[in-house]
Amino acid sequence: MMMKGPDKDEKYPISHYNRLCFLKNIITSPNIIVGDYTYYDDFKDVYNFERNVKYHFDFIGDKLIIGKFCMIASGVTFIMNGANHKMDGITAYPFNIFGNGWEKVTPKMEELPFKGDTIVGNDVWIGSNATIMPGVHIGDGAIIATNTTVTKDVPPYTVVGGNPGKEIRKRFSEEKIEELLELKWWDWKIERITENLHELTGPESRFL
């Protein structure tokens, strides 16, 4: 019987090691959606992941959507839309949240800055202590360097680093990136992925 990789529904896919999890299997928030085989590795506790999705309030309704086969390192933080303050007055101070008469200046939802859902594509590697700001879209195959603050969209197969994050280089030519986006290996059946591991991981791949 041919082996076909780990069980995507396992919480801890590496035996006797509970600091790495298949992320979708520990998520409790309905507004965080994660694809198969995406893993999160944490130095202390994998349940820190949801703790590091900050200002993610149900009443705002924004989603964090992460694709398949992503690699997310310890300390990665996602800042969601609930962190934004109304900024068209003299002050951005949120008086209303403290009540006691200050609730009279509670803004309407449409008056608050809203950047939309935060979306991470497939096969994305996010290095330790990176910060992803609200509404950012990270393309398939991108790499986010350690300690990067991502403030704007990242194109597919692009390496980004710094604060604010800036493009360091493309991983492949534009022509090859288009081919890889059409290939969509992450959507293959797991048996096909397993059969083609050398092609997916080797520098002499026929796909390159």
Side-chain angles (χ1 to χ4, degrees), residues 6-14 20-29 32-40 46-47 49-50 66-67:
D7 182 353
K8 63 183 174 58
D9 296 318
E10 281 281 350
K11 184 180 293 185
Y12 305 113
I14 300 176
L20 183 148
C21 68
F22 280 158
L23 188 53
K24 70 166 189 149
N25 301 321
I26 70 160
I27 294 299
T28 61
S29 170
I32 301 177
I33 301 165
V34 182
D36 293 339
Y37 300 101
T38 283
Y39 73 77
Y40 174 61
V46 294
Y47 287 93
F49 181 85
E50 277 191 273
I66 302 173

Side-chain angles (χ1 to χ4, degrees), residues 122-127 137-145 148 150 152-161 165-174 177 180-181:
N122 305 281
D123 188 25
V124 173
W125 177 16
I126 306 179
H137 290 200
I138 300 175
D140 297 325
I143 296 175
I144 309 301
T148 297
V150 182
K152 61 183 180 180
D153 292 354
V154 177
Y157 292 97
T158 300
V159 181
V160 168
K166 295 181 179 179
E167 180 176 321
I168 297 173
R169 64 179 176 87
K170 298 288 188 185
R171 294 181 61 193
F172 308 105
S173 68
E174 292 292 350
I177 288 173
L180 293 173
L181 292 174

Side-chain angles (χ1 to χ4, degrees), residues 94-158:
F95 289 94
N96 61 286
I97 68 173
F98 299 102
N100 292 291
W102 287 2
E103 67 278 0
K104 65 184 177 182
V105 289
T106 299
K108 298 175 182 177
M109 285 295 295
E110 58 268 23
E111 294 176 328
L112 294 171
F114 185 79
K115 305 290 186 180
D117 295 336
T118 299
I119 300 175
V120 178
N122 305 281
D123 188 25
V124 173
W125 177 16
I126 306 179
S128 60
N129 299 315
T131 299
I132 315 300
M133 298 303 285
V136 163
H137 290 200
I138 300 175
D140 297 325
I143 296 175
I144 309 301
T146 294
N147 294 321
T148 297
T149 299
V150 182
T151 60
K152 61 183 180 180
D153 292 354
V154 177
Y157 292 97
T158 300

